[in-house]
Amino acid sequence: MAALTQSLTFTGQRVVSRAQQAPKRASVTTKAALKHADELLETATKMTQPGKGILAMDESNATCGSRLEGVGVENIEENRRRYRELLITTPNLGEHIGGAILFEETLYQSCADGTSFVDALNAQGIYPGIKVDKGLRPLANTNESWCQGLDDLADRAAAYYEQGARFCKWRSVVSIPDGPTRTAVTDCAYGLARYAAIVQNAGLVPIVEPEILLDGEHGIDETFEVASWVWAETFKYLADNNVSFERMLLKPSMVGPGADCPTRNTAEEVADYTLRMLNSRVPPATAGIMFLSGGLSELDSTLYLNAMNQSPNPWHVSFSYARALQNTVLKTWAGDDAKKDEAQAILARRAKENGQAQLGKFVAGDVSDSESESTYQKNYVY
Ligand code: 13P
């Protein structure tokens, strides 16, 4: 090998060999280099068992609060705690839910009987997760945004692991009507990759979520182009940052028309576009594709997931829904603990139906008005 790195002489000129010219590269992360490699793989594998998905319940205090206020419940810490206790203590929730994403406040809360939420989740076989991004900020000179939270992430990730979290989520967004600009796409992709590398190092399985917002009049073809661009950039930076694909989960938006597009597409068309986009961008080694619901109705989110699982694909294609799992549950409870059992039964059924959709075996039965109404809100902030 020494010969390769020596200066060579050619027609009297000093020629520098390629090995000497090459910039210093970071070596690719090997299993041995990743401190929590085995645990990360176990977490990712157990969360993606057949028929399982994720319950997203990581709304910020402001967003959770506006949902609570929407059903007449005051936005105070105790009411957020009561509502979240109802969700995580739903009997047999672990049959179809492999992980629950919590907001920071929730990770440190306990049930009324003193059991910590972390213990209550573990007792159901559900991994506790945590939203670690610090939200969106306006991107100068555009109507787009960038996502903050990298600065102290290594320290926070270590503390969340200590508290019992084993996976986490970072949600960045890309908006179609006002762009997207290259700056917004690069910020989104680079931020997600840095985040994923940092948290894997701390023992947390990253959920990588570049949400393509539903807002706009664009058609499905435009969404397809933007999603393909965003995922290409994201995987470039994930690879540059040596993120282990086997130890991460993706949380994409489904590829569909904008909320104000007059042309609507069928579940089969959405599934076809989404899978074509993913097949051209996502390595098969990726542990799981856990879709967000993004404003779809509860029923549509299940139908679309079911359509995607009609033909074989290399991944675990599943759900990580918030609105599409919680919408009717919250309206049913509305702060009244006499309705708790009824609300929990709805959550258990919605989890089961999405678990069936993960297997491509969902058949819609009777559906309430609430479950077929859109959960879309313009300019939604998580
Ligand atoms: P929705 O399913 O409500 O779109 O939630 C998205 C999300 O990012 C939750 O983690």
Side-chain angles (χ1 to χ4, degrees):
M1 287 311 277
L4 270 178
T5 56
Q6 274 168 13
S7 298
L8 306 173
T9 305
F10 179 66
T11 60
Q13 284 186 313
R14 191 166 178 277
V15 177
V16 179
S17 73
R18 243 195 306 159
Q20 283 174 313
Q21 282 177 326
K24 196 166 172 356
R25 289 185 301 259
S27 59
V28 173
T29 305
T30 59
K31 187 180 155 208
L34 204 52
K35 189 168 146 215
H36 300 273
D38 291 339
E39 187 185 21
L40 287 165
L41 197 57
E42 186 182 333
T43 305
T45 306
K46 288 199 173 150
M47 283 175 66
T48 52
Q49 294 298 300
K52 284 198 181 187
I54 293 173
L55 167 62
M57 45 178 285
D58 57 318
E59 299 86 356
S60 63
N61 289 349
T63 304
C64 180
S66 63
R67 298 251 185 96
L68 290 174
E69 282 162 1
V71 295
V73 177
E74 193 188 352
N75 181 20
I76 54 171
E77 181 173 348
E78 175 56 10
N79 285 338
R80 294 192 294 272
R81 194 204 62 74
R82 285 170 64 222
Y83 175 56
R84 264 75 181 252
E85 176 174 345
L86 177 153
L87 298 177
I88 67 169
T89 57
T90 294
N92 305 320
L93 192 64
E95 277 178 24
H96 299 285
I97 299 293
I101 318 173
L102 311 176
F103 191 61
E104 190 175 36
E105 172 184 277
T106 321
L107 182 67
Y108 294 87
Q109 284 176 327
S110 299
C111 301
D113 69 2
T115 311
S116 73
F117 278 4
V118 168
D119 286 347
L121 285 166
N122 284 329
Q124 296 243 47
I126 300 173
Y127 280 99
I130 169 100
K131 168 189 168 77
V132 299
D133 66 78
K134 289 282 187 182
L136 303 169
R137 283 282 176 271
L139 193 63
N141 304 322
T142 71
N143 286 326
E144 302 175 278
S145 46
W146 64 280
C147 187
Q148 60 182 348
L150 286 178
D151 279 0
D152 58 351
L153 182 57
D155 292 339
R156 286 192 292 121
Y160 299 147
Y161 181 92
E162 193 61 33
Q163 177 63 16
R166 288 295 177 269
F167 76 103
C168 60
K169 153 189 150 175
W170 177 283
R171 172 183 179 261
S172 213
V173 304
V174 169
S175 152
I176 295 185
D178 300 308
T181 59
R182 171 156 286 284
T183 313
V185 173
T186 304
D187 176 79
C188 169
Y190 180 77
L192 283 165
R194 282 302 308 135
Y195 138 79
I198 291 168
V199 301
Q200 275 190 344
N201 209 35
L204 304 177
V205 169
I207 294 184
V208 171
E209 179 180 1
E211 177 168 353
I212 317 263
L213 295 173
L214 212 58
D215 304 61
E217 295 174 2
H218 51 275
I220 195 167
D221 287 296
E222 197 174 344
T223 310
F224 181 87
E225 268 177 41
V226 171
S228 303
W229 178 22
V230 170
W231 279 110
E233 293 277 322
T234 302
F235 270 97
K236 176 213 168 332
Y237 286 113
L238 285 167
D240 284 355
N241 280 275
N242 287 327
V243 173
S244 166
F245 298 161
E246 292 87 346
R247 297 169 177 83
M248 84 176 175
L249 303 167
L250 306 186
K251 183 156 171 168
S253 313
M254 295 177 191
V255 176
D260 298 324
C261 177
T263 309
R264 306 315 298 167
N265 295 93
T266 62
E268 288 68 30
E269 287 167 337
V270 171
D272 175 54
Y273 272 77
T274 306
L275 287 174
R276 265 196 295 129
M277 188 279 291
L278 293 172
N279 270 314
S280 67
R281 292 292 182 266
V282 179
T286 306
I289 313 266
M290 321 301 283
F291 284 102
L292 57 92
S293 59
L296 294 173
S297 72
E298 292 176 269
L299 177 61
D300 279 352
S301 65
T302 310
L303 288 173
Y304 290 11
L305 179 61
N306 193 57
M308 270 184 271
N309 282 304
Q310 291 310 304
S311 44
N313 62 67
W315 315 281
H316 175 80
V317 172
S318 191
F319 60 95
S320 173
Y321 297 154
R323 282 167 281 181
L325 280 173
Q326 294 183 47
N327 194 39
T328 306
V329 176
L330 177 61
K331 284 186 191 161
T332 303
W333 174 65
D336 178 0
D337 283 338
K339 296 274 193 176
K340 185 174 156 191
D341 292 351
E342 195 183 330
Q344 288 186 327
I346 292 169
L347 179 59
R349 176 172 56 74
R350 292 290 305 132
K352 182 175 176 190
E353 288 171 347
N354 285 302
Q356 289 166 338
Q358 195 290 309
L359 301 169
K361 293 184 176 161
F362 171 66
V363 182
D366 290 342
V367 178
S368 66
D369 287 349
S370 160
E371 284 169 72
S372 28
E373 86 194 0
S374 163
T375 61
Y376 170 71
Q377 272 175 269
K378 219 174 173 63
N379 302 321
Y380 185 69
V381 179
Y382 211 74

